[in-house]
Amino acid sequence: MTSVGKYLVMIYDNEAMWAAAGPPAMEANNRRHEAFAAANGPAIRGGGQLGESETATSIRPDGSGGFVVTDGTFAETKEVMGGYYLIEAADLDEALEIAKQVPAPMGGVEVRPIINGG
């Protein structure tokens, strides 16, 4: 018997490339995501687009029982997490087949199994 699992598909984008491409590229990509959602609706358990990396707030332990809260993402990188889908699939192979369909023209996706919760 196959055990269905949940997987997080993280979408990474290059924000500078999106900024240079402008609104028409963003609108076209939104339509691609709508088509992806329509084609894979039974597997999708959630998802969303994230705000720009400049809107992020990072929290790290300070080593003495407190926390350091900083504006922005933790690391300098060209690609940042721009959105995600929570999907349900029979196994990793099926999850990868679904993830290959996720529009990510300015980056890529990463797939991880949800092992606790979700």
Side-chain angles (χ1 to χ4, degrees), residues 12-90:
Y12 290 92
D13 288 316
N14 182 316
E15 291 177 328
M17 289 177 68
W18 279 113
M26 291 178 206
E27 291 167 12
N29 199 51
N30 285 340
R31 287 191 298 277
R32 288 191 291 272
H33 278 279
E34 290 169 2
F36 168 80
N40 293 283
I44 297 172
R45 297 292 173 260
Q49 180 179 1
L50 302 178
E52 300 287 326
S53 62
E54 65 193 26
T55 68
T57 303
S58 296
I59 304 169
R60 299 282 185 260
D62 67 5
S64 62
F67 295 92
V68 175
V69 179
T70 56
D71 291 336
T73 56
F74 179 65
E76 291 292 323
T77 181
K78 287 186 180 182
E79 289 185 351
V80 295
M81 189 169 160
Y84 67 95
Y85 286 103
L86 177 62
I87 62 170
E88 198 166 79

Side-chain angles (χ1 to χ4, degrees), residues 92-116:
L92 178 61
D93 290 336
E94 183 180 26
L96 294 175
E97 287 307 310
I98 293 168
K100 288 176 185 176
Q101 300 171 54
V102 173
M106 307 282 183
V109 301
E110 178 180 337
V111 178
R112 291 195 196 180
I114 305 290
I115 59 171
N116 190 6

